[in-house]
């Protein structure tokens, strides 16, 4: 969406809607996709960029959560495993199966019988049977950099990995294709109320164009899907806080230094928390932590960040698991940290908190919160079922049909395009390519990302700032040191031409982007 198009959209949205969704993460995007498919007039509003909160900073897993079984969260695990299988079937181009290894070491033996029982339950829940034992020699042949000292044997099972931000964009783009309207940098400042106090719409401020007056937009239903920021919107109707913000931090290790074909589930040597090494986009993600997120951290930077204590904790896990790899700080491409919206159970430690979701109705404001990326569809269904009674007409929800358009990534035979790009961007990218006489699919030095896809995303995917483009539409900022700033000179002409940025605007955006990378995606300062 180009600036002129954004102006036109803002001019056209000040009319009654069936549903306004506040929050452009995975849950809001799922609600948007379901509601537009049901023939409703739907508006999605995101205060910053799509997926800029939790949904671009997940552990990159679509999984049931084995540790939730150990905590007795059977319903959460069951929902998650079933949704994992659904996503693997419906959107295999973005959600891919991944084999995980659990390694057994002398002196820190895992309870093999306990794990096997858990894996049996896990697979029964997913209506599959794909787990078992692995001999020591096989493990070391799969992961030759793994610590061999005291290694006895191991187990394997399957979950899945995802490009989280691309999944959000896929849902939003399909919802727009069905007639919905989505706007990023549209911040809800207040709720409209009737004479009886019922929520009847939103008051929205435009953040991408300073000086614009707030606008009132009425709706029959307003849905709060703001995740960790749930309490802000509920505060407008006088509700007390219910969310415990928890921070999950990660490192991304250079794939040239640590290359994995299988993911590894392990227990941290300090506190025996379950953590993961995950192969992702040619690199390796390690995480995650589970810590309460203090409010003072939100004053230090716009986005969450990995602090020194977390960094040391994660590096200890790396060096204990792969001591012979010689991984040092110089091998870390980036760090990232996301906030989880945990419904308060104050007496419980962060790692033991439930990942259940809940739906609330407060003076007409519908709120869905809690949960996890894997269960976003279940959350969308739960809140929309509650919203039906407030709608003027009965929507045509088709809960049992695939949520995703199965033709989204089918390439016409006459278009010769790398499969990876088709999987990431689908039919809209292919249509855009038709206007390119000689598309150049050459990648940037040292990574799998092409200038062509960056220009496409800038042109077509509602990019307002450089960080929208390089951290979320494409993942250059995560997969290259210093956010990939070394590539900006090569990318400048294409991006500025597509977005109509002046040289001054470009410099401002580079400064903004560099600041964000330094504050929230780099190694912590000592």
């Amino acid at each position: 969406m180009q600036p002129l198009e954004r102006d036109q959209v803002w001019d056209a949205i000040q009319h009654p809607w069936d549903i306004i969704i506040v929050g452009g993460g995975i849950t809001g995007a799922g609600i948007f996709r379901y509601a537009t498919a049901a023939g409703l007039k739907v508006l999605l509003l995101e205060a910053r960029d799509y997926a800029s909160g939790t949904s671009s900073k997940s552990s990159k897993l679509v999984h049931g959560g084995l540790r939730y079984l150990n905590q007795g969260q059977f319903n959460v695990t069951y929902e998650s495993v079933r949704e994992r299988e659904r996503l693997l079937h419906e959107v295999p181009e973005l959600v891919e199966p991944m084999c995980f290894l659990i390694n057994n070491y002398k002196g820190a033996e895992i309870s093999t019988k306990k794990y096997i029982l858990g894996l049996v339950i896990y697979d029964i829940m997913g209506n599959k049977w794909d787990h078992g034992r692995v001999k020591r020699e096989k493990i070391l042949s799969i992961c030759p950099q793994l610590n061999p000292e005291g290694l006895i044997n191991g187990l394997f099972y399957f979950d899945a990995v995802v490009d989280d931000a691309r999944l959000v964009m896929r849902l939003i783009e399909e919802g727009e294709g069905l007639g919905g309207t989505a706007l990023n940098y549209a911040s809800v400042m207040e709720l409209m109320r009737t004479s009886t106090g019922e929520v009847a719409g939103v008051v929205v401020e435009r953040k991408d164009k300073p000086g614009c007056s707030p606008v009132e937009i009425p709706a029959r239903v307003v849905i709060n899907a703001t995740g960790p920021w749930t309490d802000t919107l509920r505060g407008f109707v006088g509700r007390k806080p219910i969310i415990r913000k928890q921070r999950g931090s990660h490192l991304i290790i250079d794939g040239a230094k640590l290359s994995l074909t299988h993911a590894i589930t392990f227990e941290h040597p300090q506190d025996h928390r379950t953590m993961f090494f995950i192969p992702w986009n040619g690199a390796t993600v390690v995480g995650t932590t589970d810590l309460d997120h203090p409010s003072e951290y939100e004053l230090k930077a716009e986005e969450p960040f990995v602090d020194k204590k977390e960094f040391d904790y994660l590096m200890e896990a790396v060096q204990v698991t792969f001591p012979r790899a010689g991984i040092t700080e110089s091998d870390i491409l980036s760090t990232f940290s996301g906030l989880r919206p945990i419904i308060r159970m104050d007496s419980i430690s962060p790692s033991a908190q439930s990942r259940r979701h809940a739906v609330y109705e407060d003076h007409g404001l519908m709120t869905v919160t809690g949960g996890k990326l894997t269960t976003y569809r279940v959350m969308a269904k739960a809140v929309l079922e509650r919203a039906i009674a407030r709608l003027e007409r009965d929507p045509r929800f088709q809960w049992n049909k695939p949520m995703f358009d199965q033709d989204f990534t089918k390439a016409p035979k006459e278009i010769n395009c790398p499969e990876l790009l088709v999987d990431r961007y689908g039919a809209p990218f292919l249509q855009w390519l038709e206007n390119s006489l000689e598309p150049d699919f050459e990648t940037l030095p040292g990574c799998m990302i092409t200038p062509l896809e960056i220009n496409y995303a800038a042109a077509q995917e509602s990019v307002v700032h450089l960080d929208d483009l390089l951290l979320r539409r494409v993942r250059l900022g995560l997969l290259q040191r210093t956010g990939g700033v070394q590539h900006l000179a090569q990318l400048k002409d294409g991006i500025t031409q597509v977005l109509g940025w002046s040289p001054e605007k470009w410099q401002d955006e580079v400064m903004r982007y560099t600041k964000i990378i330094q504050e929230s995606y780099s190694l912590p300062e000592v």
Side-chain angles (χ1 to χ4, degrees), residues 335-366:
T335 68
F336 68 94
S337 190
L339 301 183
R340 304 183 183 103
I342 305 299
I343 299 170
R344 284 183 181 274
M345 295 174 65
D346 290 325
S347 63
I348 298 179
S349 70
S351 292
Q353 289 273 11
S354 173
R355 299 304 301 274
R356 69 182 178 89
H357 69 268
V359 177
Y360 302 88
E361 188 170 353
D362 305 294
H363 300 288
L365 175 67
M366 310 293 297

Side-chain angles (χ1 to χ4, degrees), residues 78 81-82 84-85 121-129:
Y78 178 76
V81 167
R82 302 298 288 186
R84 179 199 66 196
E85 293 303 300
I121 296 171
Y122 208 58
D123 275 0
I124 289 174
M125 286 178 170
N127 196 27
K128 62 190 295 183
W129 195 262

Side-chain angles (χ1 to χ4, degrees), residues 86-107:
R86 184 170 181 142
L87 283 164
L88 282 166
H89 175 71
E90 289 189 13
V91 61
E93 59 274 10
L94 292 178
V95 180
E96 303 177 56
M98 176 63 66
C99 184
F100 285 69
L101 299 176
I102 306 171
N103 301 315
N104 191 13
Y105 283 90
K106 187 176 182 179

Side-chain angles (χ1 to χ4, degrees), residues 42-61:
V42 190
L43 174 64
L44 183 146
L45 302 170
E46 164 56 45
R48 295 183 65 195
D49 185 34
Y50 304 129
S52 61
T54 307
S55 298
S56 61
K57 301 165 185 172
S58 75
S59 295
K60 317 309 177 196
L61 295 177

Side-chain angles (χ1 to χ4, degrees), residues 372-485:
K372 51 196 290 238
L373 183 148
T374 306
T375 58
Y376 80 89
R377 189 195 70 87
V378 176
M379 296 169 67
K381 180 174 181 285
V383 73
L384 285 169
E385 285 178 329
R386 287 278 293 272
I388 288 173
R390 291 184 165 271
L391 296 170
E392 185 177 29
R393 53 199 173 93
D394 290 335
R396 301 184 299 276
F397 289 119
Q398 297 176 316
W399 307 122
N400 295 322
K401 287 195 173 183
M403 175 176 272
F404 293 89
D405 180 357
Q406 302 301 290
D407 294 328
F408 191 84
T409 57
K410 287 187 178 177
K413 292 182 180 179
E414 62 272 15
I415 294 183
N416 184 19
C417 178
E419 185 177 355
L420 181 64
L421 296 181
V422 179
D423 287 348
R424 284 178 185 161
Y425 307 105
F429 178 69
L430 298 174
Q431 293 166 6
W432 182 78
L433 275 184
E434 291 179 352
N435 296 322
S436 180
L437 297 177
E438 296 182 7
D440 182 359
F441 299 113
E442 184 176 352
T443 60
L444 290 166
C447 69
M448 299 184 293
I449 296 168
T450 67
L452 183 71
E453 67 188 287
I454 291 173
N455 291 341
Y456 162 75
Q460 301 293 119
E461 294 195 328
S462 300
V463 166
V464 172
H465 293 295
L466 194 56
D467 52 293
D468 304 339
L469 180 59
L470 300 184
L471 283 170
R472 290 174 288 278
R473 303 303 184 275
V474 302
R475 312 315 292 269
L476 186 73
L478 292 178
L479 296 168
Q480 296 280 282
R481 289 180 177 83
T482 63
V485 295

Side-chain angles (χ1 to χ4, degrees), residues 69-80:
L69 283 179
N70 191 47
Q71 295 167 357
Q73 299 183 45
F74 293 101
N75 288 342
V76 171
T77 306
Y78 178 76
E79 279 185 349
S80 300

Side-chain angles (χ1 to χ4, degrees), residues 101-105 139-140 143-151 253 257-258 260 262-270 273-278 284-287 312-327:
L101 299 176
I102 306 171
N103 301 315
N104 191 13
Y105 283 90
I139 293 171
L140 292 175
C143 301
Q145 292 174 296
L146 191 70
N147 185 3
E149 297 298 324
L151 180 64
I253 304 171
K257 197 61 180 275
L258 181 61
L260 299 177
H262 293 54
I264 295 174
T265 300
F266 68 100
E267 291 186 355
H268 195 283
Q270 274 189 34
R273 282 194 64 259
T274 300
M275 300 180 70
F276 304 97
F277 286 93
I278 305 156
T284 300
V285 177
V286 56
D312 291 343
Y313 176 87
L314 292 169
M315 283 298 289
E316 180 183 359
V318 172
Q319 290 161 352
V320 168
T321 309
F322 300 100
R324 297 190 299 181
I327 296 168

